[in-house]
Amino acid sequence: MYKLLALNIDGTLLKSNGKLEKKTKEAIDFVKKKDVYVTLMTSRNFLSAKKVAKALKLDSYLVTFRGALVAKSLEERLHASVIPAQKTFDIVHVLEHFDCNVRLLHERYSIGNRKKIKNNMIAKTILGDPFFYPAQFVDSLSDVLRDDPIDVMKIDVFYSKEDECDEIVETITHAFPDVSLSVSDGKIELLPTNVSKLNGLIRLGNELGISLKEMVVIGDHLDDMPAIEAAGLGVAMGNASKEVKAVADWVTRSNDQLGVAYMIKEHFRKQHRPQFLRQIRTIEKK
């Protein structure tokens, strides 16, 4: 009996073209009718994730900014972790010595430098709808932060050369040992300490009274791996890497083949609503 379904967004729920298909929406409706709590876990900012949740008719807590913010709205939060303003400034000051593109992700907007580098991930990165999540670009981040310091949920660093990536990682790790750091697909992500999608799900589970073993987690990315491995049923998308598939209990179809809808129909059609099971047990006792 699984009580919670956690879904990554990009590469999992959405097809490669960014579309959310009708069959996927119907599958989410199907599992919700079985009293399963459905949430999203994503590296996206909260407002961007909330748009996807609205399209799925979800009014649940969302695990966003890769676990830094677990909330129903920016006002109704279960958990929030930030990189404090002074540390953000110090990190930016270090990063500006490298040839990299930096994005500071605040809960309500992003701010980045205008430096142009060759990196395909920059074009693919979702900055959000300007109406919901404004993106500002400046010549010098440190100058802006000196006048207007901000706490941030996450810092994205885009690099163009592998050797420079190694140097950035070594420098940041040495200078800021209490900041979480990960590298994938031409991007370095800096997060508050002890922040991850898995920890976000643990916090949500504690609030709802649902253990990890009662969760189904579906994802495709490297940052989904700990949650997939820890869940009662960890599912990798068909388009996931070998590393992600290796820790999964189940591998579904790819996102372009609507793997989420396929997995839900294959597994949850066998699961009854808790209320129905309680009625059956009551009848059996009589």
Side-chain angles (χ1 to χ4, degrees):
M1 175 65 68
Y2 295 107
K3 299 179 180 179
L4 183 147
L5 173 63
L7 302 161
N8 184 33
I9 295 178
D10 300 290
T12 300
L13 264 177
L14 305 184
K15 295 178 68 175
S16 298
N17 60 9
K19 289 187 177 181
L20 180 61
E21 292 290 336
K22 181 180 179 181
K23 287 185 178 179
T24 302
K25 294 180 182 179
E26 291 172 347
I28 300 301
D29 287 338
F30 173 79
V31 78
K32 282 166 58 183
K33 289 176 182 177
K34 291 181 176 285
D35 294 335
V36 175
Y37 193 96
V38 182
T39 186
L40 307 179
M41 56 171 199
T42 179
S43 290
R44 286 191 184 204
N45 65 76
F46 176 82
L47 296 175
S48 178
K50 188 67 177 178
K51 286 181 64 178
V52 178
K54 186 176 181 180
L56 293 169
K57 299 178 182 178
L58 297 180
D59 186 32
S60 50
Y61 285 102
L62 308 178
V63 179
T64 62
F65 290 105
R66 204 172 160 186
L69 179 62
V70 183
K72 279 190 176 182
S73 69
L74 291 180
E75 291 72 35
E76 189 175 355
R77 308 174 181 206
L78 181 61
H79 172 80
S81 293
V82 297
I83 302 175
Q86 182 59 54
K87 186 167 291 181
T88 298
F89 175 83
D90 293 340
I91 291 172
V92 165
H93 186 67
V94 170
L95 290 173
E96 285 182 333
H97 288 84
F98 296 94
D99 187 26
C100 60
N101 193 279
V102 182
R103 293 283 183 274
L104 306 180
L105 303 179
H106 184 267
E107 61 190 36
R108 295 183 182 276
Y109 59 88
S110 76
I111 179 170
N113 60 357
R114 287 197 180 97
K115 186 172 288 187
K116 294 182 179 180
I117 64 171
K118 292 182 179 180
N119 185 316
N120 293 331
M121 270 299 294
I122 295 177
K124 295 179 181 178
T125 297
I126 298 174
L127 297 177
D129 187 323
F131 179 76
F132 291 99
Y133 192 71
Q136 180 184 359
F137 299 92
V138 298
D139 293 322
S140 172
L141 280 173
S142 58
D143 285 349
V144 172
L145 295 178
R146 191 177 289 110
D147 297 332
D148 187 17
I150 59 170
D151 301 332
V152 299
M153 295 282 176
K154 188 161 76 86
I155 301 175
D156 287 343
V157 183
F158 300 92
Y159 57 90
S160 58
K161 299 177 182 178
E162 289 298 330
D163 57 345
E164 187 164 56
C165 170
D166 295 338
E167 191 175 351
I168 293 172
V169 169
E170 183 179 354
T171 302
I172 295 296
T173 301
H174 178 74
F176 307 97
D178 56 344
V179 173
S180 298
L181 182 150
S182 68
V183 183
S184 64
D185 301 325
K187 181 173 71 171
I188 304 169
E189 290 183 291
L190 306 179
L191 293 151
T193 186
N194 295 323
V195 163
S196 67
K197 290 181 179 179
L198 172 58
N199 286 341
L201 287 179
I202 290 173
R203 291 180 174 108
L204 177 56
N206 289 340
E207 172 70 14
L208 301 175
I210 299 175
S211 69
L212 283 171
K213 295 304 177 185
E214 296 173 306
M215 298 183 187
V216 177
V217 173
I218 310 180
D220 70 292
H221 203 267
L222 293 177
D223 63 13
D224 297 320
M225 283 177 61
I228 289 173
E229 191 169 15
L233 180 61
V235 181
M237 299 295 293
N239 50 289
S241 66
K242 291 181 180 179
E243 295 94 331
V244 177
K245 291 177 180 177
V247 302
D249 302 302
W250 213 76
V251 178
T252 186
R253 296 172 179 173
S254 73
N255 60 327
D256 289 330
Q257 296 171 318
L258 307 186
V260 168
Y262 175 75
M263 184 275 160
I264 288 175
K265 290 295 177 70
E266 283 296 303
H267 178 80
F268 283 100
R269 63 184 173 84
K270 306 171 187 176
Q271 179 168 304
H272 295 290
R273 295 177 62 189
Q275 183 179 356
F276 173 79
L277 293 176
R278 286 193 292 268
Q279 291 173 346
I280 293 297
R281 293 191 190 104
T282 301
I283 294 171
E284 288 176 347
K285 287 179 181 179
K286 292 180 180 180

